[in-house]
Amino acid sequence: MIDVKSLDKLIFGSLLGVAITACISLGASNVFTGLAILFSILRIIYKRDDLFIGENKGIFLTILIFIIAMTSSALWGGKFIFAFEKYIGHYIFRISPLIIVLFFIKKIDHIIKLMLGVVLSLSITNLYAIYEGFNGNFRAQGISGGPMWLATFLLVLMPIIFVSLFDKDKLKRYKKFFSITFLIAFMALIFNGTRGAWIGIATILPSIAIMASVNIKKIIGFILTSIMLIFIIFNSVPQLSSRATTILDTQYQSNTERVLMWNSAINMAKDSPLFGVGLGNYSDMYKSKYISPIAKERFQGHAHNNFMQMLGENGLIGLSSFVIMFGYILLFSWRKKQSYFGIMAFGATLGFLFHGLTEYNFGSAGGTKLYWLVLAICLQGALLEKDYIIKGENL
């Protein structure tokens, strides 16, 4: 008979498997996620009186509000089977690492190991992306998914690595590891070629450095060093510099097509303000009714923007619930900014949402599951750190 301690070890081992494979193999991470869910269910059957939601109650409440809004949109759109699959895939399976970490991980050293695992996963895929870049692929995608997946991975995890460099307590012994992985991530970011990721990292890292009370001279030094490296790299690789110049080019096709898609999403909401075209109906309705007559990319299946996707597909109710959910996560993380883990949660969420301004990354299996896992690691880290400090225990 399996005892509770054995189940706790199996849960942690499965989560560690999810962390290490998160950026490398969606299939492998799904297997480990499934195991974590199975062991968690068994754990609840055997013993559940020690489960404690505590101050994370608001996170679960806003997620529940979002799911209810998606239910309403699904009923409106008439895609019941699709909605059921969406629940299982998007709102239960992908989010399960968040729930499991917050319920069952009670040791700060386990949190740190999960963090190290997910950073290692990113670094492995980053090394392959750098290999792609040196072989002439300036839209490097790494091992798992496409370039946009890698961009989400980078935007979620680079703030984590960056903040870790300033921790002089729990993470101090891993400073060399984080320094090396940050440089690897920086190079992968360049070769990935996702313009939104470039802008996002350039905006988010200085912001969270200020939150972390980093010396202003160090911030300026970091910015100047980064600018110098970027100048050298872009000056050496014309393909990268030419891509950078398209960021503000109003005639560049990628930019103009996104504007057309966003206008189409707005038109969907105008026709059905409350629930949009209905959960699961965006792709068909866009191609058959709402696509702009001057659009050149006529087979797009999403709005290339999380907020516009929610507005067009799920209306004002869907968009509002999405904003409430992530707005609460940002506010909750901001209130924990006295902890490096809280700053990490804030930075990772900003990164995820920033990329969601030009990509529907909330619909990405790899990116979304990674985000929920990383958020859980950071929030639970902040909670456990606080408890340990209060109890006067050695971290």
Side-chain angles (χ1 to χ4, degrees):
M1 183 176 179
I2 301 177
D3 59 21
V4 171
K5 287 186 178 180
S6 297
L7 285 172
D8 285 340
K9 290 179 181 178
L10 289 170
I11 290 170
F12 172 69
S14 300
L15 287 173
L16 190 58
V18 177
I20 293 173
T21 59
C23 302
I24 300 172
S25 170
L26 179 62
S29 70
N30 284 342
V31 170
F32 282 115
T33 301
L35 290 173
I37 293 172
L38 173 62
F39 296 136
S40 297
I41 292 172
L42 291 174
R43 172 64 161 78
I44 292 172
I45 292 173
Y46 279 101
K47 183 176 174 61
R48 56 182 175 273
D49 59 355
D50 59 344
L51 298 182
F52 177 68
I53 299 177
E55 58 187 68
N56 294 316
K57 190 178 297 183
I59 299 289
F60 290 103
L61 178 60
T62 57
I63 291 173
L64 179 61
I65 291 172
F66 177 74
I67 292 176
I68 292 172
M70 295 300 101
T71 303
S72 303
S73 179
L75 293 172
W76 172 264
K79 287 206 170 184
F80 309 109
I81 295 177
F82 177 87
F84 178 75
E85 294 175 348
K86 197 92 165 179
Y87 289 145
I88 298 299
H90 282 50
Y91 312 134
I92 296 179
F93 190 77
R94 293 182 191 175
I95 206 171
S96 61
L98 170 77
I99 299 170
I100 295 169
V101 169
L102 295 183
F103 271 12
F104 298 109
I105 303 302
K106 305 299 182 183
K107 296 180 179 180
I108 195 73
D109 63 314
H110 283 179
I111 289 295
I112 293 173
K113 287 176 182 177
L114 289 174
M115 180 185 295
L116 294 173
V118 77
V119 171
L120 177 64
S121 179
L122 175 70
S123 299
I124 292 171
T125 201
N126 280 344
L127 287 172
Y128 186 75
I130 293 170
Y131 169 80
E132 291 179 294
F134 278 114
N135 281 275
N137 181 3
F138 303 113
R139 291 291 284 134
Q141 62 185 38
I143 298 173
S144 179
M148 289 300 190
W149 276 38
L150 179 57
T152 296
F153 295 163
L154 289 163
L155 277 164
V156 169
L157 282 170
M158 283 188 74
I160 305 297
I161 303 171
F162 184 67
V163 173
S164 299
L165 295 173
F166 305 112
D167 190 307
K168 298 179 181 179
D169 187 7
K170 303 165 296 302
L171 304 175
K172 183 179 180 180
R173 71 180 70 176
Y174 307 109
K175 188 169 184 178
K176 288 183 179 179
F177 172 77
F178 286 119
S179 298
I180 293 170
T181 54
F182 184 81
L183 290 174
I184 292 172
F186 185 86
M187 289 298 297
L189 176 72
I190 297 297
F191 286 128
N192 174 249
T194 301
R195 299 165 300 163
W198 291 346
I199 299 173
I201 290 299
T203 304
I204 294 168
L205 295 192
S207 301
I208 60 178
I210 294 172
M211 284 181 64
S213 300
V214 177
N215 185 289
I216 191 65
K217 292 182 180 180
K218 291 184 178 180
I219 296 175
I220 294 173
F222 170 77
I223 293 174
L224 292 177
T225 302
S226 299
I227 291 174
M228 182 180 67
L229 288 173
I230 291 171
F231 176 80
I232 293 172
I233 294 170
F234 278 36
N235 193 51
S236 303
V237 186
Q239 296 93 328
L240 290 174
S241 59
S242 63
R243 183 161 179 79
T245 59
T246 65
I247 292 175
L248 299 177
D249 186 352
T250 57
Q251 302 303 313
Y252 187 63
Q253 181 172 311
S254 180
N255 299 341
T256 58
E257 290 295 305
R258 277 175 167 77
V259 173
L260 293 176
M261 284 184 273
W262 299 341
N263 285 332
S264 294
I266 292 172
N267 290 334
M268 293 178 189
K270 286 180 179 179
D271 289 346
S272 182
L274 288 180
F275 302 110
V277 296
L279 185 68
N281 291 327
Y282 178 91
S283 182
D284 291 340
M285 293 299 290
Y286 174 74
K287 295 171 186 175
S288 63
K289 181 178 178 180
Y290 289 97
I291 189 170
S292 170
I294 62 173
K296 297 178 181 178
E297 299 175 10
R298 307 194 67 82
F299 297 99
Q300 293 287 345
H302 57 78
H304 278 275
N305 180 293
N306 287 338
F307 300 93
M308 288 299 177
Q309 180 78 20
M310 287 294 157
L311 178 64
E313 186 171 64
N314 306 298
L316 292 174
I317 288 179
L319 176 61
S320 298
S321 66
F322 185 82
V323 171
I324 289 171
M325 179 173 65
F326 278 103
Y328 181 83
I329 292 171
L330 283 172
L331 179 61
F332 189 70
S333 303
W334 175 264
R335 288 175 175 172
K336 292 179 175 293
K337 64 181 182 294
Q338 72 279 1
S339 164
Y340 280 122
F341 286 109
I343 298 172
M344 291 176 192
F346 189 84
T349 303
L350 275 185
F352 185 80
L353 292 176
F354 198 101
H355 192 216
L357 295 176
T358 52
E359 170 67 4
Y360 178 45
N361 63 344
F362 191 71
S364 159
T368 305
K369 191 166 65 173
L370 173 76
Y371 167 72
W372 289 124
L373 173 62
V374 169
L375 179 67
I377 291 171
C378 297
L379 293 181
Q380 197 71 342
L383 176 63
L384 293 175
E385 180 183 47
K386 176 183 174 182
D387 287 346
Y388 272 60
I389 290 173
I390 290 174
K391 293 176 182 177
E393 298 185 28
N394 184 11
L395 290 172

